[in-house]
Amino acid sequence: MSPSGPGSTAPAPRPYAVLGVVAVGTLMSALGGSLINVAVPLVRRDLGVDIGAASWVLAAYSLSVSALLLPFGRLGDRHGKGRVYTAGFVVFGVGSALSALAPTLASLIAARALQGAGAAMLMANGPALTTAAFPPSQRGRALGMQATATYLGLSLGPSIGGWLAQGAGWHAVFWINVPIALAGALLARSLVWRGAPGGAAAARPAQDPRARPFPWASALLFGAALSALLVALTRGQRWGYLSPWVVGLLAVGAVLAAAFVRAERRSPAPLLSASLLAQPVLVTGLAAAFLQYGAAYMMLFLLPFYLQGPLAMSASDAGLVMTVQPAVMAATTAASGWLSDRVGARGPALAGMTALAVGLVRLATLGPDPGRASLLAALALVGLGSGLFTAPNNSRIMGAAPRDQQGTAAGLLAEARNVGMLCGVAAAGVIFAALGGGRPGEAAGGEAFGAAFQGTMLAAAALAVVGAVVTAAGASPRAGAAPARPPR
């Protein structure tokens, strides 16, 4: 038995080197989703397509990531997290190069889906590698530093992407990823590949991968079901939620989801084991993560329209204001992870979710002509809440997962984050329209916009309050507790 307790493993000899290579993949994956946002209008003009078609350049990446996170996390548990993580750099780099070379919209969308597959391989195994590289007493700070890399990528992506697209064209937005992916693959090969000196113990498979077959049927059904449901959810406002396309996709998603459940029950090695889902800390942590990202992205979706509509800010001025929230998150996350190692995870996570709710209420009640200081303070409070919450909650989830299922747990964590983002955006659009604001992109400001924005922010705050209740209800293992041993 290792010194850390049952079910745990000895930390890596060079934990910060492992964290460094995981941070590279985390940063690159976040950039992959945010770099292209401001370049989509250039893609549309260059390829001669309409806005709806061009939006699939963004959707293909998000859908690919969401559909493949869980299968790649499970694959890492069986065949070695380090192997899957290293391969993720290669797949991401190839997808980036093919995106840059794409001559048509269809080929660009396919390349973006491949890029998303590489990102899923990285996202699903990075937190597990970090967890195994550090002793349990330092898990929170390590996961906090990794989360900081995510927020840096999300906050820096739009400005870097805009600068590259304006100076060298939209192809450069993809080419910049290729040398990063190459360097990351070489680093990962030496640090976390199976059996490499100094690699994390979790880089090695926890069991003989040939002992039981991989549940390919479950993986395919899960990805197809989730993709159908997410397309219906995210395109519902554009197509109409009662349109034949949306109703048909919902029906197909429901049938595929039922087939997934049946395949899981009959599989000798299911994609999601009962022992993992029986961990209450993990389940409540995942639910809280979903709610936190849903609430935050309800705000982030409408904020640009609010700033440039009723507040009449220029695009550059609005961009500067919007950097406050992710900047505070990046500055807070590592510290909150360190704090959770000292006092336990539940307290900081609950404080963070509460601060998020208060910040959203403050944003909703600023009035039609808020002062710049009041606006920045509200956004900073939202960033503070998200930063306080993320690392402790991630530490709770990863600490509750048995060693041989930490890749799956990391995949579920990233799944909660991605699906929460997409659901938050969809919910914001629906609520805003239902309150009389119309479509956000078509709103011109005025009292109707202000009332709809206020109501949507209050709905986001209510979601954060539910997240606080879930966080408080979840059991919190003491700092330094080892991952649970899977039931025999």
Side-chain angles (χ1 to χ4, degrees), residues 232 235-247 250 439:
R235 298 281 155 166
Q237 191 172 8
R238 180 182 295 271
W239 296 342
Y241 283 100
L242 297 179
S243 68
W245 277 106
V246 172
V247 173
L250 290 173
R439 287 188 178 182

Side-chain angles (χ1 to χ4, degrees), residues 11 15-16 19 130-131 133-145 337-338 340-342 395 479-481:
Y16 284 97
L19 177 61
T130 300
T131 298
F134 286 83
S137 61
Q138 299 177 23
R139 181 173 56 229
R141 75 187 72 176
L143 290 171
M145 285 185 272
W338 175 86
S340 71
D341 289 334
R342 293 291 180 271
S395 182

Side-chain angles (χ1 to χ4, degrees), residues 34-144:
S34 60
L35 274 172
I36 189 61
N37 289 4
V38 295
V40 169
L42 296 178
V43 173
R44 176 194 172 203
R45 184 184 64 192
D46 193 25
L47 299 181
V49 297
D50 61 29
I51 294 176
S55 68
W56 283 101
V57 175
L58 302 176
Y61 183 87
S62 298
L63 290 172
S64 177
V65 169
S66 298
L68 295 173
L69 278 168
L70 186 55
F72 279 132
R74 190 73 180 101
L75 202 64
D77 284 334
R78 295 180 61 80
H79 295 279
K81 300 171 185 64
R83 285 183 170 182
V84 177
Y85 189 82
T86 305
F89 279 112
V90 177
V91 174
F92 192 96
V94 172
S96 298
L98 291 176
S99 296
L101 295 170
T104 64
L105 180 65
S107 60
L108 177 57
I109 290 173
R112 282 283 285 168
L114 182 62
Q115 194 183 33
M121 298 168 84
L122 296 167
M123 291 180 185
N125 290 279
L129 292 169
T130 300
T131 298
F134 286 83
S137 61
Q138 299 177 23
R139 181 173 56 229
R141 75 187 72 176
L143 290 171

